């Protein structure tokens, strides 16, 4: 059956003829993304017209499948972006708000809801007008209402996933909807609770998260190994993390009240658990950790103390009486992304920035990272950037062509040195350090004002013996160079000196040098 015949069958208005025609068409084009037929818009309008009638479920589903398939192509969404069309689709999706939050049916047809949600997602992805209509219809309020029912079993994975996907698309494109979700709908608490329920978490203490139903042997010396999350849980969790990222993008740049701070700390505790967990597959795990890190970077700095709050348990990494599992995981993740060397700005910088800010405000974190990254210096014969230690890798980044990358690497090492110029030069060499020092106005030395505890700068025996011979520019002991004056007579030395004077005189006369006044 060709397209014109399908349109003719639909134009008769007969529900059975339309059902057969649409089912035939959908099977034929189910894998297509782009459509070249001029009659496609007419078919979309007819399918939307049928949806506005009282149809049997099978015909509703066929119409929605057709709309979902056609809306993959941004050139075909014109019949679906009107207020009437979007309201019709939202009613079928169960998220309409214009009629006072249309109540869900007792036994909702989940297939119809999912197809309607997929269609709205496609339309809002391709068309900004549709996003504006979605804002007018308050669809985000309808989605939020259903998210509050996260504990109910009537909604399957697909309904929950596409609810979240649509909320992400709306908040990604409209500041007004981000603000509405954050403030009016209490988005941080709402989505944190939904993330909690999705991952099946429990709370042994205020800011300590555990996995419900997972027993931990208190007598074991081995680190606790949690079972990986299923793919469905991870897919929904990542959508939640992306929405939270959208609505908290400026949280660390503004003042937050006590209620907001408590909500952010609660969320931070969940994110710590996300970082310490894995997914079903390495790729999923990396993506899950990446979204968790990106969101952690949005939280106010004062709320990052939740990373250190869990009690030290058997198998935990302890330093100064504090649980450093999360900090160690961040460092390992950062080094892993650094070694991979691809898209460092997107993959490595979030974790590096998070480590920098955590080290700046938490003494225990800074000392732990300094022990890992800048241990007492023993190798004084090689350049600071030569080698495979994490310090060497970070020093190499300090001369990266990307300004953001080199600045972040330098800032991290500078913070670990308590912003002491002499200590910074000791570990990186003056040549590598010059960019940051010049930007801070510290090329002449000194210390940048900062809130850091007093501790000793431990020096190894090797460093102490070689200290006088280290070239501060390169940061290593240079091979002794032969004396260029050796073997010259006094007359030859005087001649070379006069040549040098003449060269300086020439530079001065040509305006290449200026006197300092």
């Amino acid at each position: 059956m060709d397209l014109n015949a399908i349109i003719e069958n639909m134009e008769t208005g007969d529900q059975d003829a339309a059902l057969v025609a649409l089912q035939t068409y959908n099977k034929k084009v189910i894998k297509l993304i782009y459509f070249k037929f001029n009659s496609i818009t007419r078919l979309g309008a007819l399918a939307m017209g049928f949806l506005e009638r009282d149809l049997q479920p099978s015909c509703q589903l066929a119409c929605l499948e057709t709309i979902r398939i056609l809306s993959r192509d941004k050139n075909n969404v014109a019949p679906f972006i009107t207020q009437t069309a979007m309201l019709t689709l939202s009613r079928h999706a169960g998220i309409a708000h214009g009629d006072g939050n249309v109540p869900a049916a007792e036994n909702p047809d989940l297939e119809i809801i999912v197809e309607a949600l997929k269609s709205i997602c496609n339309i809002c992805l391709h068309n900004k007008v549709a996003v504006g209509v979605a804002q007018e219809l308050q669809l985000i309020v309808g989605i939020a209402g259903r998210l509050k029912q996260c504990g109910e079993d009537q909604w399957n994975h697909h309904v929950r996933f596409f609810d979240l996907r649509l909320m992400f698309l709306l908040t990604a494109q409209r500041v007004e909807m981000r603000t509405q979700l954050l403030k009016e709908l209490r988005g941080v608490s709402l989505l944190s609770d939904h993330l909690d329920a999705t991952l099946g978490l429990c709370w042994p203490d205020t800011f300590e998260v555990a996995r419900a139903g997972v027993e931990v042997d208190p007598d074991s010396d081995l680190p606790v190994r949690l079972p990986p999350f299923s793919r469905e849980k991870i897919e929904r969790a990542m959508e939640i993390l992306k929405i939270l990222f959208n609505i908290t993008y400026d949280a660390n740049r503004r003042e937050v009240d006590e209620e907001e701070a408590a909500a952010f700390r609660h969320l931070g505790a969940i994110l710590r658990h996300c970082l310490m967990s894995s997914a079903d597959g390495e790729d999923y795990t990396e993506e899950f950790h990446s979204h968790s890190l990106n969101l952690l970077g949005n939280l106010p700095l004062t709320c990052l103390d939740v990373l250190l709050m869990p009690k030290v348990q058997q198998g935990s990494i302890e330093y100064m009486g504090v649980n450093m599992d999360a900090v160690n995981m961040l460092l390992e993740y950062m080094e892993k992304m650094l070694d991979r060397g691809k898209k460092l700005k997107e993959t490595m910088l979030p974790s590096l920035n998070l480590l920098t800010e955590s080290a700046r405000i938490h003494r225990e974190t800074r000392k732990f990272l300094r022990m890992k990254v800048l241990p007492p210096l023993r190798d004084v014969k090689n350049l600071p950037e030569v080698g495979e230690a994490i310090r060497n890798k970070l020093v190499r980044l300090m001369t990266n062509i990307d300004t953001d990358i080199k600045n972040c690497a330098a800032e991290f090492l500078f913070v670990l040195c308590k912003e002491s110029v002499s200590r910074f030069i000791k570990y990186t060499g003056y040549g590598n350090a010059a960019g940051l020092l010049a930007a801070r106005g510290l090329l002449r030395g000194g210390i940048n004002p900062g809130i850091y505890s007093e501790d000793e700068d431990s020096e190894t025996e090797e460093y102490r013996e070689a200290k006088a011979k280290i070239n501060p520019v390169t940061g290593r002991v240079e091979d002794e160079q032969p004396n260029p004056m050796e073997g010259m007579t006094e007359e030859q030395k005087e001649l070379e000196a006069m040549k040098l004077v003449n060269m300086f005189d020439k530079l001065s006369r040509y305006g290449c040098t200026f006197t300092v006044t």
Side-chain angles (χ1 to χ4, degrees):
M1 187 182 297
D2 63 16
L3 183 59
N4 291 329
I6 291 169
I7 291 175
E8 287 175 6
N9 281 342
M10 293 194 67
E11 285 177 336
T12 64
D14 182 68
Q15 191 174 157
D16 293 332
L19 175 61
V20 173
L22 288 177
Q23 287 178 336
T24 303
Y25 178 77
N26 293 344
K27 287 179 182 178
K28 181 179 178 182
V29 300
I30 192 168
K31 293 185 178 180
L32 288 181
I33 297 178
Y34 302 106
F35 302 86
K36 299 180 180 179
F37 308 109
N38 295 327
S39 304
I40 288 294
T41 303
R42 176 60 180 159
L43 176 61
L46 287 169
M48 184 57 69
F50 263 82
L51 273 184
E52 295 169 4
R53 295 165 47 184
D54 185 17
L55 302 175
Q56 57 186 338
S58 57
C59 193
Q60 286 182 356
L61 186 61
C63 289
L64 287 167
E65 285 177 344
T66 301
I67 293 171
R68 189 247 305 166
I69 292 170
L70 295 180
S71 61
R72 291 173 183 167
D73 188 340
K74 64 182 180 181
N75 298 312
N76 295 329
V77 298
F80 317 131
I81 63 175
T82 65
Q83 192 164 40
T84 302
M86 290 288 285
L87 181 58
T88 300
L89 289 171
S90 66
R91 281 174 172 160
H92 283 83
I95 56 173
H97 180 67
D99 297 333
N101 242 348
V102 176
E106 291 183 5
N107 296 301
D109 190 322
L110 299 184
E111 279 190 288
I112 289 177
I113 290 175
V114 171
E115 285 298 325
L117 285 170
K118 287 180 178 178
S119 299
I120 299 173
C121 285
N122 286 348
I123 295 164
C124 289
L125 176 65
H126 293 311
N127 193 276
K128 291 184 178 180
V129 174
V131 177
V133 174
Q135 181 181 340
E136 293 173 11
L137 294 176
Q138 297 283 289
L139 295 192
I140 202 161
V141 178
I143 301 171
R146 191 150 63 199
L147 290 185
K148 293 176 183 177
Q149 306 169 17
C150 56
E152 299 184 13
D153 295 332
Q154 64 173 326
W155 309 116
N156 63 18
H157 163 69
H158 299 289
V159 172
R160 294 175 178 178
F161 176 81
F162 284 104
D163 273 346
L164 294 166
R165 173 58 61 84
L166 179 55
M167 183 175 276
F168 166 70
L169 289 171
L170 295 178
T171 55
Q173 298 183 71
R174 282 294 174 112
V175 175
E176 298 85 354
M177 282 193 270
R178 289 200 289 270
T179 305
Q180 182 182 15
L181 178 58
L182 176 65
K183 296 182 178 179
E184 180 184 324
L185 301 173
R186 301 171 64 86
V188 173
S189 296
L190 170 68
L191 291 163
S192 295
D193 291 344
H194 197 62
L195 183 59
D196 186 328
T198 298
L199 299 179
L201 306 180
C202 61
W203 296 80
D205 205 346
T206 307
F207 294 116
E208 189 168 350
V209 187
R211 195 83 61 84
V214 176
E215 295 183 2
V216 178
D217 184 2
D219 299 323
S220 175
D221 293 334
L222 299 175
V224 177
R225 291 199 173 276
L226 298 170
F229 288 118
S230 67
R231 289 204 170 191
E232 288 188 352
K233 286 185 176 181
I234 287 293
E235 286 174 352
R236 298 204 302 273
M238 289 194 292
E239 293 300 316
I240 297 170
L241 294 174
K242 291 191 291 185
I243 300 167
L244 280 165
F245 181 87
N246 286 346
I247 66 175
T248 62
Y249 70 100
D250 65 342
N252 60 6
R253 298 191 298 272
R254 61 180 173 84
E255 292 291 329
V256 295
D257 57 30
E258 289 185 13
E259 184 180 354
E260 283 183 298
F264 283 132
R265 276 197 169 89
H266 181 83
L267 174 58
I270 298 176
L271 293 176
R272 182 192 184 279
H273 186 81
C274 292
L275 290 175
M276 304 308 297
S277 303
S278 62
D280 183 13
E282 187 176 347
D283 290 343
Y284 265 76
T285 300
E286 278 193 16
E287 188 178 358
F288 183 47
H289 287 168
S290 176
H291 288 305
S292 301
L293 281 167
N294 288 339
L295 179 53
L296 260 177
N298 279 1
L299 301 191
L301 298 180
T302 53
C303 299
L304 295 180
D305 55 355
V306 294
L307 296 177
L308 309 177
M309 280 188 175
K311 300 181 183 70
V312 176
Q313 300 174 343
Q314 293 290 345
S316 296
I317 298 174
E318 178 185 358
Y319 187 77
M320 298 177 67
V322 177
N323 187 322
M324 287 293 171
D325 288 342
V327 176
N328 189 66
M329 182 273 162
L330 288 173
L331 184 63
E332 289 180 349
Y333 181 88
M334 184 271 291
E335 187 173 11
K336 182 180 179 181
M337 296 299 106
L338 176 55
D339 289 341
R340 187 170 294 173
K342 295 179 180 178
K343 296 183 178 179
L344 292 180
K345 206 165 184 175
E346 292 80 9
T347 60
M348 186 203 69
L349 282 199
S351 54
L352 185 57
N353 283 329
L354 197 56
L355 287 168
T356 302
E357 298 307 326
S358 297
R360 198 191 303 275
I361 62 174
H362 295 122
R363 173 173 172 262
E364 296 87 356
T365 301
R366 176 179 57 78
K367 288 197 166 192
F368 175 77
L369 289 172
R370 185 180 164 201
M371 177 188 72
K372 290 280 190 177
V373 178
L374 300 177
L377 200 55
R378 298 182 185 279
D379 182 7
V380 292
K381 293 185 178 180
N382 291 315
L383 293 169
E385 61 267 29
V386 174
E388 291 305 312
I390 190 167
R391 172 180 75 103
N392 307 131
K393 298 172 185 178
L394 289 168
V395 172
R396 285 199 289 272
L397 285 185
M398 291 170 65
T399 53
N400 193 281
I401 58 173
D402 189 300
T403 305
D404 290 336
I405 292 175
K406 72 177 183 181
N407 288 346
C408 288
E411 183 73 15
F412 177 56
L413 294 176
F414 196 45
V415 168
L416 294 190
C417 294
K418 297 201 302 181
E419 304 192 21
S420 164
V421 173
S422 60
R423 189 178 297 181
F424 186 48
I425 292 172
K426 167 185 169 181
Y427 283 102
T428 66
Y430 192 84
N432 293 316
L436 181 138
L437 298 180
R440 299 287 188 92
L442 296 171
L443 281 174
R444 296 178 64 184
I447 185 166
N448 204 46
I451 304 173
Y452 296 102
S453 61
E454 291 295 331
D455 59 7
E456 71 284 354
D457 184 15
S458 57
E459 293 184 353
T460 62
E461 190 66 30
E462 295 90 335
Y463 180 80
R464 195 176 294 113
E465 290 177 358
K467 188 174 182 179
K469 302 176 184 177
I470 293 176
N471 183 336
V473 175
T474 60
R476 70 169 178 179
V477 175
E478 301 285 356
D479 294 333
E480 289 191 14
Q481 300 295 323
N483 184 354
M485 296 289 195
E486 189 176 350
M488 287 186 180
T489 65
E490 291 301 320
E491 289 80 5
Q492 288 173 320
K493 291 179 183 179
E494 188 175 340
L495 180 60
E496 291 298 326
M498 289 306 299
K499 287 181 180 178
L500 187 60
V501 169
N502 289 334
M503 284 190 284
F504 273 113
D505 180 60
K506 189 179 292 186
L507 287 172
S508 179
R509 282 188 284 108
Y510 285 117
C512 297
T513 60
F514 303 91
T515 57
V516 179
T517 56

